[in-house]
Amino acid sequence: MSNYTAEHARAGVHARLPRLETWTNQFPGYTITTRFAEYTSLCPKTGLPDYGTITIQYQPKKLCLELKALNMYLLAYRSRGIFYENAVNRILRDIVEATKPVWCVVRGEFTPRGGLTTSVEARWPRRTASR
């Protein structure tokens, strides 16, 4: 591939997005799973739309995500140029920052483009590489 720049690679990673709001959790030791089947963003190089489903799964500690705010946050990606991999990792980073969960996993299942289907998964805490 030619003409992919560092600017393409970091597009959208630090873009301003709507604030993720939270509410106080009342119960310990359970899992929340939220699916957003209408994820859309733009390829930072071509400007073509990307589509997929984002699944967020986490165990809350003291805070839970407020779903309307989460929806507005995810909808804000529609006008952003960002690669799949960066979007999934950015979503994870922002959720962890907002809720400070016990653990969190964000998965992106993206629709085929050019015959390729892509899935991206990011976890917190991060797995350490074993050598």
Side-chain angles (χ1 to χ4, degrees), residues 50-99:
D50 292 323
Y51 304 99
T53 298
I54 300 293
T55 302
I56 299 162
Q57 192 169 43
Y58 68 105
Q59 182 179 346
K61 196 178 288 183
K62 294 183 180 181
L63 300 172
C64 295
L65 287 170
E66 195 281 320
L67 294 180
K68 184 175 182 182
L70 176 60
N71 193 44
M72 299 308 290
Y73 168 88
L74 292 169
L75 286 170
Y77 279 87
R78 287 188 172 179
S79 60
R80 303 276 175 223
I82 188 167
F83 289 123
Y84 300 150
E85 298 83 356
N86 289 348
V88 169
N89 280 282
R90 165 78 191 265
I91 292 166
L92 175 70
R93 181 186 75 191
D94 291 349
I95 290 171
V96 167
E97 185 177 296
T99 65

Side-chain angles (χ1 to χ4, degrees), residues 101-114:
V102 175
W103 57 265
C104 184
V105 177
V106 176
R107 288 181 197 89
E109 298 286 333
F110 300 97
T111 58
R113 179 189 274 185

Side-chain angles (χ1 to χ4, degrees), residues 1 28 32 38 44 48 62 66 91 93 107 116-117 126-127:
M1 275 292 147
I32 297 171
E38 299 177 2
L48 294 172
K62 294 183 180 181
E66 195 281 320
I91 292 166
R93 181 186 75 191
R107 288 181 197 89
L116 298 174
T117 301
R126 302 273 185 197
R127 291 181 179 161

Side-chain angles (χ1 to χ4, degrees), residues 1-18:
M1 275 292 147
S2 61
N3 301 324
Y4 277 92
T5 66
E7 187 176 325
H8 291 124
R10 67 178 162 259
V13 172
H14 300 291
R16 190 172 182 140
L17 295 169

